[in-house]
Amino acid sequence: MTTQTSDLLAAAAPRTVDVVRGIADNQFDLPTPCRDYVVRDLLNHLFEVVINFQDLALKRQVEWAEKPDHLVDGWQDRFEAETGRLVTAWADPSTLEGVSPGMGMPQTVIGGMALLDLTVHGWDLAVATGQPYQPAPEAVAELHGLVEQLGPTARKMGVFAEPVSPPTPTPTPIPDLAHLLSQTGRTPTWPLPR
């Protein structure tokens, strides 16, 4: 049995895993579209997301303060394994019931946040390391409503920057992706010319 959330995570996960597998250790210090994050920081953050959102699926408290370095021997294999566990964790319909005790938001929103991080940070890491990236179209379509819902609070908390106007014509083959990125405060044509 699966849920819509696990199906969307299953569609999005391999695309981000492919990007992560394409990152070389000598790219860890490259800048990313996430302010103040180099590739190493963003990879460690994404590791924390795929691990902690497994516990959030089970309505367990998580500790975000610990910042271990996950980028040790075999890190790409471990990222793929943890991402697979994330998809499985959200497959039980009970994961979408009620409110997250740790986050204080509906579980459906929490599952959507995991999908958002996988999708958008997949793009962040791809453009930072010069890789192609095609997100799962069904994930992008689903995330527009979530970003609209979370946007005002996320901007106050500094999670999203202010929206930017997507360029015309769209620099990406997926106009919906450019719009989604713009709503999170990202410039779809990143990096900007110097």
Side-chain angles (χ1 to χ4, degrees), residues 4 8 10 13-14 22 27 41 44-45 53 62 70 74-75 94 112 120 123-124 131 137 144 148 167 170:
Q4 181 189 21
L8 290 168
Q27 295 178 308
D41 302 327
N44 274 309
H45 168 70
F53 275 80
V62 298
H70 295 280
W75 64 270
S94 68
V120 173
W123 177 83
D124 290 330
Q131 298 183 64
H144 283 288
E148 203 169 288
T170 306

Side-chain angles (χ1 to χ4, degrees), residues 9-181:
L9 287 168
R15 297 159 189 260
T16 300
V17 167
D18 284 349
V19 170
V20 168
R21 285 202 170 277
I23 297 172
D25 291 4
N26 65 2
Q27 295 178 308
F28 286 168
D29 293 325
L30 293 176
T32 74
C34 293
R35 291 174 303 178
D36 305 324
Y37 277 65
V38 295
V39 168
R40 173 186 291 280
D41 302 327
L42 195 51
L43 282 168
N44 274 309
H45 168 70
L46 199 50
F47 250 109
E48 290 300 298
V49 167
V50 298
I51 291 169
N52 285 344
F53 275 80
Q54 294 170 42
D55 281 336
L56 289 169
L58 301 173
K59 302 180 182 83
R60 295 180 185 148
Q61 296 274 358
V62 298
E63 182 52 65
W64 292 100
E66 292 181 23
K67 303 286 183 202
D69 185 3
H70 295 280
L71 308 183
V72 294
D73 290 346
W75 64 270
Q76 290 158 318
D77 291 337
R78 281 186 291 101
F79 180 80
E80 182 171 10
E82 292 294 353
T83 303
R85 289 184 190 101
L86 173 72
V87 173
T88 301
W90 286 93
D92 185 331
S94 68
T95 61
L96 300 177
E97 296 170 359
V99 172
S100 168
M103 305 280 276
M105 291 184 273
Q107 282 288 111
T108 52
V109 172
I110 301 301
M113 290 168 66
L115 180 65
L116 180 64
D117 273 25
L118 266 184
T119 301
V120 173
H121 291 326
W123 177 83
D124 290 330
L125 289 166
V127 297
T129 58
Q131 298 183 64
Y133 179 67
Q134 291 285 331
E138 59 270 43
V140 173
E142 182 71 21
L143 289 171
H144 283 288
L146 180 68
V147 168
E148 203 169 288
Q149 176 186 349
L150 296 177
T153 302
R155 287 182 197 101
K156 280 182 193 168
M157 295 175 66
V159 176
F160 293 172
E162 287 301 314
V164 298
S165 297
T168 308
T170 306
T172 167
I174 305 172
D176 282 352
L177 175 61
H179 179 73
L180 179 68
L181 296 170

